[in-house]
Amino acid sequence: MRLSVIILAAGQGTRMRSLLPKVLHRLGGRPLLAHVIDTARELKPDSVHVVYGHGGDQVREALADSPVEWVEQADQLGTGHAVDQVMPRIAGDSVVLVLYGDVPLITAATLAPMIKQAGRGKLSVLTAKLDNPSGYGRIIRSANGKLVDIVEQKDAGTEQLRIREINTGFLAAPAGLLRGWLQKLDNRNAQGEYYLTDIVGMAVDDDVPVESATAADTDEILGVNDRVQLAHLERVYQRRLAEVLMRAGVSLADPARFDQRGELEAGSDSFIDVNVVFEGEVRLGERVRIGPNCVIRNATLGDDVEVFASTVIDDARIGNACRIGPFARIRPETELAERVHVGNFVEVKKSRVAAGSKINHLSYIGDTRMGAGVNIGAGTITCNYDGANKHVTDIGDDVFVGSDTQLVAPVKVGDGATIGAGTTVTRDVPAGQLTLSRCAQKSIEGWSRPVKKKP
Ligand code: UD1
Ligand code: MG
């Protein structure tokens, strides 16, 4: 059986009040449409077609890498018209599955049985029972419970408006039959649109069985029309991701205050405190502890790493048993070997730090190669930028750098060197010696403080 998926995404989304096309608004850091395309691909279809209209160029550009076919619907004349735009590209012996670019949480598990039904020559419609069915098309069943029609809210009578079973919009049909039905659609209805839903009545007339399917969870069928609904679905989505993590052996202080915007892999017995944001691709080892209010982006953290509150780690590799933060910033292209300590108000950029080195307080380390067992005193700064170019600071093993030292790059510090506090290092520092640049301390005997003059 061949499968073609059609994703409708031509609507304008006026209620978002946004210049951005609706399907490009983000859920879990990715466009709504990207989620739907992913779900479509899970079903291993022969083709995926996206019907676009409003903001089309922007949508195509944002998802240029997606393996989909783009079909333009210049005027939005209705859902039936939208699907019909794709039919010339679909083989008659396929099954067609219709998805929506603004209904991002639908799962492959819900859709698979519908595809099976359509594969057996039936029309399959995904329905749901809602406490508040307002706005949706209503499912009309015959006395013996058969699905016989769908009536849009705006075309429904008072009795029909009381029906709580609604049309989610998702359907699957044999392509040959669907093509014939779409050709017969008209727009004589309250909205003057070509309704996809009218094919149900046609299937009944043609004695084609109409089956209904249901989603395990009603959140799956919810669409995004405004930012309130988007925020609701974001929480539902985050809750799903949080549950996957927790079931994999990771503890979350509060799954309601967890945000994953990308891929996150985590070893067992790790702990994530509240309000941590993960972005891009993040991998955590085992027994990692992340404190509250951290942002971790495109990073790999080894086993037993501890990240304390309010730390930002961006595009970095952190070795086993490192301790970072609170209030530390690890910037791109940083590699910390095992057991490195980076403390409060320390910024590390594009630097490699070998095992067991400590940069515990108020320092800037940039463009630096640092050996093992180094101790960097509070307030140390690598002066890596001369106003035009960046230069490297090279620090050997077992170096001790006194507090408030400036290392004016390019500069090299030999193994085992000690640098006195307050030193401005402008030339290479020899191994194993004490180096300092400091005026001799003096005291002035008999000196007295100035006294405030009387007015
Ligand atoms: C549609 C269904 C309704 C169902 C509801 C579920 C029809 C006639 N009605 O109504 O039974 O309960 O969805 O949300 O199908 N779109 C296009 N091109 C168009 C028109 C729509 O691409 O010409 C896209 C929109 O971008 C949107 C989707 O199709 O993603 C649904 O369109 P919308 O106008 O919102 O349909 P509803 O009136 O909500
Ligand atoms: Mg709608």
Side-chain angles (χ1 to χ4, degrees):
M1 186 195 69
R2 293 159 64 81
L3 172 65
S4 289
V5 179
I6 299 177
I7 303 175
L8 301 192
Q12 189 167 12
T14 3
R15 279 177 282 165
M16 296 300 286
R17 296 181 180 276
S18 174
L19 291 177
L20 194 67
K22 177 161 72 175
V23 294
L24 293 186
H25 280 262
R26 284 166 189 272
L27 182 87
R30 302 175 62 228
L32 293 171
L33 182 55
H35 290 270
V36 181
I37 292 172
D38 280 357
T39 304
R41 301 235 61 95
E42 268 182 66
L43 298 162
K44 310 248 178 296
D46 297 282
S47 60
V48 177
H49 309 261
V50 178
V51 180
Y52 68 96
H54 281 282
D57 292 342
Q58 234 177 312
V59 175
R60 289 184 64 157
E61 209 171 285
L63 293 154
D65 297 335
S66 294
V68 298
E69 292 182 40
W70 299 94
V71 182
E72 188 176 11
Q73 185 196 22
D75 296 308
Q76 280 73 62
L77 304 180
T79 48
H81 179 262
V83 170
D84 201 34
Q85 303 310 297
V86 189
M87 294 315 289
R89 305 179 180 220
I90 293 177
D93 60 349
S94 306
V95 159
V96 171
L97 172 70
V98 179
L99 308 182
Y100 297 84
D102 56 358
V103 188
L105 296 185
I106 190 74
T107 63
T110 295
L111 298 168
M114 298 174 63
I115 296 165
K116 268 209 186 120
Q117 289 172 342
R120 294 195 204 104
K122 303 173 179 181
L123 170 60
S124 180
V125 177
L126 187 70
T127 75
K129 286 211 173 80
L130 299 183
D131 290 335
N132 177 11
S134 175
Y136 288 94
R138 304 300 203 282
I139 298 295
I140 311 296
R141 290 185 183 270
S142 64
N144 59 5
K146 284 217 158 67
L147 203 170
V148 291
D149 204 2
I150 297 175
V151 178
E152 290 305 295
Q153 161 106 9
K154 287 185 179 146
D155 301 281
T158 335
E159 280 302 306
Q160 290 172 329
L161 287 175
R162 278 198 206 111
I163 297 169
R164 284 177 43 229
E165 189 181 11
I166 60 97
N167 172 35
T168 65
F170 292 94
L171 61 81
L177 293 172
L178 180 61
R179 194 192 318 274
W181 296 329
L182 291 173
Q183 276 160 11
K184 289 193 280 176
L185 285 184
D186 63 58
N187 62 356
R188 291 192 298 271
N189 52 53
Q191 302 184 82
E193 286 182 6
Y194 295 90
Y195 288 166
L196 177 61
T197 45
D198 285 349
I199 67 169
V200 172
M202 296 180 189
V204 172
D205 291 343
D206 290 351
D207 289 323
V208 174
V210 183
E211 300 278 353
S212 60
T214 49
D217 187 338
T218 38
D219 288 321
E220 281 189 43
I221 62 110
L222 296 182
V224 172
N225 292 306
D226 59 32
R227 293 173 198 254
V228 176
Q229 290 168 335
L230 179 60
H232 171 73
L233 291 191
E234 178 73 34
R235 278 303 108 207
V236 172
Y237 179 70
Q238 292 300 340
R239 178 82 208 189
R240 274 190 193 173
L241 296 177
E243 278 175 19
V244 169
L245 264 189
M246 292 188 287
R247 294 198 195 289
V250 176
S251 291
L252 301 184
D254 181 359
R257 284 180 287 170
F258 165 79
D259 286 271
Q260 177 183 334
R261 302 177 192 149
E263 306 284 322
L264 173 60
E265 254 177 59
S268 56
D269 289 317
S270 291
F271 170 78
I272 298 167
D273 214 323
V274 298
N275 299 331
V276 177
V277 177
F278 295 95
E279 294 182 340
E281 276 176 44
V282 175
R283 222 173 295 150
L284 308 181
E286 304 197 337
R287 298 173 301 280
V288 169
R289 296 182 68 83
I290 315 261
N293 307 320
C294 292
V295 177
I296 302 187
R297 180 184 304 125
N298 294 322
T300 302
L301 279 59
D303 297 337
D304 301 297
V305 168
E306 274 197 85
V307 179
F308 299 96
S310 302
T311 290
V312 177
I313 300 178
D314 185 5
D315 188 17
R317 297 170 67 88
I318 311 296
N320 293 344
C322 283
R323 294 162 62 93
I324 304 178
F327 303 101
R329 180 172 181 209
I330 309 292
R331 291 175 52 202
E333 294 182 61
T334 292
E335 279 184 43
L336 307 184
E338 60 277 9
R339 288 175 289 104
V340 168
H341 293 189
V342 174
N344 42 259
F345 308 107
V346 171
E347 174 178 346
V348 183
K349 187 216 81 170
K350 200 177 179 181
S351 293
R352 281 167 65 176
V353 180
S357 289
K358 295 178 179 149
I359 315 158
N360 272 331
H361 327 270
L362 300 140
S363 290
Y364 172 66
I365 301 296
D367 302 299
T368 297
R369 285 192 294 264
M370 192 184 298
V374 171
N375 195 313
I376 301 285
T380 296
I381 291 172
T382 56
C383 309
N384 61 330
Y385 186 51
D386 59 14
N389 295 295
K390 299 275 167 67
H391 302 282
V392 169
T393 300
D394 200 327
I395 300 172
D397 294 334
D398 298 313
V399 168
F400 180 94
V401 178
S403 298
D404 197 22
T405 292
Q406 300 97 50
L407 296 144
V408 181
V411 73
K412 266 193 182 143
V413 180
D415 292 346
T418 299
I419 299 174
T423 296
T424 301
V425 176
T426 51
R427 282 176 286 135
D428 288 356
V429 171
Q433 296 180 17
L434 170 66
T435 297
L436 67 168
S437 70
R438 202 185 271 173
C439 304
Q441 182 172 327
K442 60 181 175 188
S443 302
I444 298 166
E445 229 177 296
W447 177 85
S448 57
R449 284 186 192 169
V451 180
K452 200 174 172 88
K453 283 184 191 144
K454 296 221 166 77

